[in-house]
């Protein structure tokens, strides 16, 4: 089995209920951090990792997502006529090579595992990455690139992991791993949303995976797990039991949970403050806000 990862799956068929009413009309993945939609961050990360084929698992009402990657000839012509070359460059950076993107439908939001399984025919018999666009990771070296480099040595399956506070751990898939500080850890087991107090560690899985096609075969049974959903975690846990070849990867970087309102707002601030043209104004505003709140207390 080759260790080079060329395909990535982007499951974007969830209902995004935490962002209602916005997600009634706007796919969550199109919501913007500063001026770029969440999906663009995920695509850029995948490109940096050498991904060549991009597979989107979509659903009804996600048309804006398909349009987003299309060419925009009228807009291009108008920007060119006005000499707005910097904006033209920004626009063209969103274009994808013809044939590089494929879309499959998940007809019902039955869970992340089911969404990935819907892409099985496009994935074929090779390792593939999965990126959840609502996990946005700020890092010097993009997270998936870190993983692809480690995976080239190890093969098997790899899941991105990070330490989370004890009171949050039961909202995640959690790894059973030996204690240690190594970035790559052998995984003995994995449990989705463990009941408080039963978690095997505080190392939680976040939305970056490199998986072997064997994981897809565990999803064939369509068995539901936590929350009544078909869970990717359960399929990976079965692969651990079968072959014991799953590794946790402690990435370097700051992860923002943009699937939650608080995480999305934090990411907006962090990415805003990282922009030279916005930093000063934003900092001033934040200092004033904090000072006003303190004065009011
Ligand atoms: P979430 O658990 O965040 O669900 O999915 P969600 O529907 O997007 O959002 P909420 O909880 O209702 O607010 C994590 C990722 O898995 C995808 C989502 O699109 C998101 O990228 N997903 C989830 C699917 O593609 N299909 C599903 O059936 C479930």
């Amino acid at each position: 089995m080759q260790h080079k990862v060329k395909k990535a799956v982007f499951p974007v068929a969830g209902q995004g209920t935490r962002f209602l009413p916005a997600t009634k009309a706007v796919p969550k993945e199109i919501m913007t951090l500063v001026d770029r939609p969440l999906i663009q961050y995920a695509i850029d990360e995948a490109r940096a990792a050498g991904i060549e084929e991009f597979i989107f698992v979509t659903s009804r009402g996600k048309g804006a997502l398909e349009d987003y990657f299309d060419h925009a000839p009228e807009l291009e012509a108008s920007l060119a006529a006005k000499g707005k070359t910097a904006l033209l460059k920004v626009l063209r950076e969103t274009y994808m090579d013809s044939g590089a993107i494929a879309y499959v439908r998940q007809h019902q939001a039955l869970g992340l595992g089911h969404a990935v399984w819907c892409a099985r025919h496009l994935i074929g018999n090779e390792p593939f990455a999965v990126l959840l666009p609502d996990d946005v990771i700020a890092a010097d070296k993009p997270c998936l690139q870190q993983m692809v480099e480690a995976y080239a040595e190890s093969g098997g399956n790899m899941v991105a992991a990070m330490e989370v506070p004890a009171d949050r751990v039961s909202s995640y898939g959690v790894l059973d791993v030996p204690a240690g500080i190594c970035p790559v850890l052998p995984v003995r087991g994995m449990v989705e949303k463990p009941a408080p107090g039963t978690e095997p560690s505080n190392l939680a899985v976040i939305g970056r995976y490199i998986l072997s096609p064997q994981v897809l075969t565990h999803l064939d049974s369509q068995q539901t797990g936590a929350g009544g959903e078909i869970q990717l975690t359960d399929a990976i846990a079965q692969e651990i039991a079968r072959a014991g070849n799953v590794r946790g990867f402690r990435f370097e970087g700051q992860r923002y949970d943009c699937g939650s309102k608080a995480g999305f707002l934090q990411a907006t601030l962090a990415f805003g403050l990282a922009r030279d043209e916005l930093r000063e104004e934003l900092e001033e505003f934040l200092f004033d806000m904090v000072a006003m709140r303190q004065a009011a207390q």
Side-chain angles (χ1 to χ4, degrees):
M1 175 75 64
Q2 55 164 332
H3 293 173
K4 188 163 163 38
V5 188
K6 289 182 293 187
K7 295 183 180 178
V9 178
F10 300 83
V12 291
Q15 293 176 313
T17 53
R18 282 170 288 173
F19 281 96
L20 279 171
T23 43
K24 184 169 165 247
V26 184
K28 178 171 66 174
E29 301 75 21
I30 288 291
M31 290 178 12
T32 53
L33 290 181
V34 189
D35 49 13
R36 291 149 53 81
L38 293 182
I39 194 67
Q40 187 67 57
Y41 290 90
I43 288 282
D44 289 351
E45 187 180 326
R47 276 174 168 160
I51 297 296
E52 295 164 11
E53 293 179 46
F54 303 78
I55 303 165
F56 284 81
V57 183
T58 68
S59 57
R60 282 183 298 285
K62 301 273 179 171
L65 207 62
E66 297 190 24
D67 291 343
Y68 176 76
F69 291 110
D70 224 330
H71 287 214
E74 292 86 4
L75 188 53
E76 248 190 82
S78 130
L79 291 174
K82 291 176 189 150
K84 297 193 169 176
T85 45
L87 284 178
L88 257 179
K89 185 168 175 287
V90 168
L91 182 66
R92 288 188 181 134
E93 277 166 4
T94 65
Y95 292 174
M96 303 292 285
D97 290 343
S98 295
I101 292 198
Y103 300 94
V104 286
R105 283 270 171 147
Q106 185 190 27
H107 295 115
Q108 232 187 317
L110 296 177
L112 175 60
H114 182 260
V116 173
W117 180 80
C118 287
R120 66 199 179 283
H121 297 306
L122 293 175
I123 294 167
N125 191 29
E126 58 182 285
F128 60 100
V130 177
L131 294 95
L132 307 190
D134 32 12
D135 273 337
V136 177
I137 301 164
D140 290 338
K141 182 185 281 189
C143 178
L144 190 66
Q145 191 181 346
Q146 297 174 37
M147 289 176 75
V148 160
E149 287 173 9
Y151 182 82
E153 308 280 315
S154 69
N157 298 271
M158 188 171 272
V159 297
M162 63 178 236
E163 261 96 23
V164 293
D167 60 338
R168 299 262 180 85
V169 75
S170 56
S171 345
Y172 291 87
V174 182
L175 296 179
D176 180 0
V177 284
I181 51 159
C182 301
V184 181
L185 296 162
V187 180
R188 295 184 293 227
M190 199 167 159
V191 45
E192 183 65 34
K193 299 188 175 59
T198 66
E199 60 275 359
S201 75
N202 67 340
L203 206 57
V205 175
I206 60 114
R208 301 289 182 275
Y209 310 76
I210 299 176
L211 300 175
S212 62
Q214 281 79 11
V215 171
L216 297 170
T217 61
H218 303 309
L219 291 162
D220 285 339
S221 65
Q222 309 274 294
Q223 192 147 0
T224 54
E229 297 195 342
I230 299 172
Q231 297 285 358
L232 185 60
T233 305
D234 294 343
I236 300 171
Q238 285 182 50
E239 186 58 9
I240 298 169
R242 188 192 73 86
N245 62 354
V246 177
R247 291 171 186 84
F249 181 78
R250 273 203 193 93
F251 60 95
E252 284 181 21
Q254 175 69 42
R255 171 258 189 179
Y256 297 95
D257 174 11
C258 292
S260 78
K261 285 174 211 164
F264 190 89
L265 290 170
Q266 286 161 17
T268 302
L269 285 177
F271 281 82
L273 288 168
R275 293 278 188 95
D276 290 341
E277 74 278 20
L278 298 174
R279 187 176 306 115
E280 205 176 315
E281 203 176 324
L282 201 49
E283 268 175 359
E284 214 170 285
F285 169 76
L286 287 172
F287 282 129
D288 288 351
M289 285 283 281
V290 171
M292 263 164 52
R293 282 180 64 88
Q294 280 171 346
Q297 276 166 8

